[in-house]
Amino acid sequence: AERKLLPALYHRQMEGQFTEPTRIIGASRASLSHDEYRRFASDALKEHLKSGEFNEAEVEKFTSRLYYVSVDAKSEQGWDVLKKLLEEGKDRTRAFYLAVGPAIFSDISEKIRDHKLITRNTRIVVEKPIGRDLASATELNDTIGKVFREE
């Protein structure tokens, strides 16, 4: 997130590709407040953007979109908090971007389903690699496909 994802999302904002009101919700096991996550993101942008790309006003606008939830993929911790945060704007497109190891794609997909976070406008994006070979990639695809339909 620090080196690639946050700068990429910042660039999307700079290109005017976010509709209002876009929110970006970071989630991991670490315990952070929204403000701590925003400071983390601002520091990451200062460190990882190319020279001349850091615009204080745009960074402030970008970080105001950021929220954070401490969630555990293998337990119930944090999922109700995430659900509550997603209630506002529940008809908007939701994209769950899984920048995690393939071993927990299934756990996260099932938690998203079990906590009723899937709407007709929900998408899931998984970061590669997806498996070690064709057999494991097929297994992961099938596992995720049990929760998220291809179309």
Side-chain angles (χ1 to χ4, degrees), residues 72-122:
D72 189 309
K74 295 190 176 262
S75 77
E76 295 301 309
Q77 182 257 317
W79 290 97
D80 288 335
V81 176
L82 179 59
K83 182 175 184 169
K84 185 175 181 184
L85 189 56
L86 288 172
E87 279 301 307
E88 179 188 327
K90 60 185 171 191
D91 295 327
R92 295 184 199 147
T93 298
R94 295 177 181 176
F96 289 93
Y97 184 94
L98 305 185
V100 298
I104 59 174
F105 286 168
S106 175
D107 295 317
I108 294 173
S109 296
E110 290 169 0
K111 292 293 185 194
I112 292 169
R113 178 199 61 213
D114 294 348
H115 288 274
K116 298 179 178 26
L117 301 177
I118 300 172
T119 68
R120 65 181 184 82
N121 294 319
T122 297

Side-chain angles (χ1 to χ4, degrees), residues 10-123:
Y10 172 78
H11 286 124
R12 298 296 58 83
Q13 175 174 292
M14 293 294 289
E15 295 294 325
Q17 294 178 340
F18 289 146
T19 57
E20 296 301 337
T22 292
R23 292 185 305 161
I24 299 166
I25 303 169
S28 75
R29 288 178 297 188
S31 181
L32 296 172
S33 69
H34 299 309
D35 287 336
E36 288 169 328
Y37 186 64
R38 291 172 182 142
R39 279 191 297 279
F40 163 80
S42 180
D43 291 346
L45 293 173
K46 281 179 188 168
E47 183 175 345
H48 298 289
L49 289 174
K50 293 177 184 170
S51 179
E53 290 182 335
F54 189 93
N55 176 301
E56 193 72 45
E58 283 295 327
V59 168
E60 189 172 316
K61 181 179 176 183
F62 175 73
T63 58
S64 73
R65 298 180 185 284
L66 301 180
Y67 295 82
Y68 183 84
V69 178
S70 177
V71 174
D72 189 309
K74 295 190 176 262
S75 77
E76 295 301 309
Q77 182 257 317
W79 290 97
D80 288 335
V81 176
L82 179 59
K83 182 175 184 169
K84 185 175 181 184
L85 189 56
L86 288 172
E87 279 301 307
E88 179 188 327
K90 60 185 171 191
D91 295 327
R92 295 184 199 147
T93 298
R94 295 177 181 176
F96 289 93
Y97 184 94
L98 305 185
V100 298
I104 59 174
F105 286 168
S106 175
D107 295 317
I108 294 173
S109 296
E110 290 169 0
K111 292 293 185 194
I112 292 169
R113 178 199 61 213
D114 294 348
H115 288 274
K116 298 179 178 26
L117 301 177
I118 300 172
T119 68
R120 65 181 184 82
N121 294 319
T122 297
R123 310 291 184 264

Side-chain angles (χ1 to χ4, degrees), residues 107-146:
D107 295 317
I108 294 173
S109 296
E110 290 169 0
K111 292 293 185 194
I112 292 169
R113 178 199 61 213
D114 294 348
H115 288 274
K116 298 179 178 26
L117 301 177
I118 300 172
T119 68
R120 65 181 184 82
N121 294 319
T122 297
R123 310 291 184 264
I124 187 167
V125 179
V126 293
E127 198 170 82
K128 62 182 182 178
I130 301 176
R132 300 170 307 284
D133 53 27
L134 180 58
S136 61
T138 300
E139 181 183 346
L140 282 170
N141 191 57
D142 291 347
T143 300
I144 294 168
K146 289 177 185 171

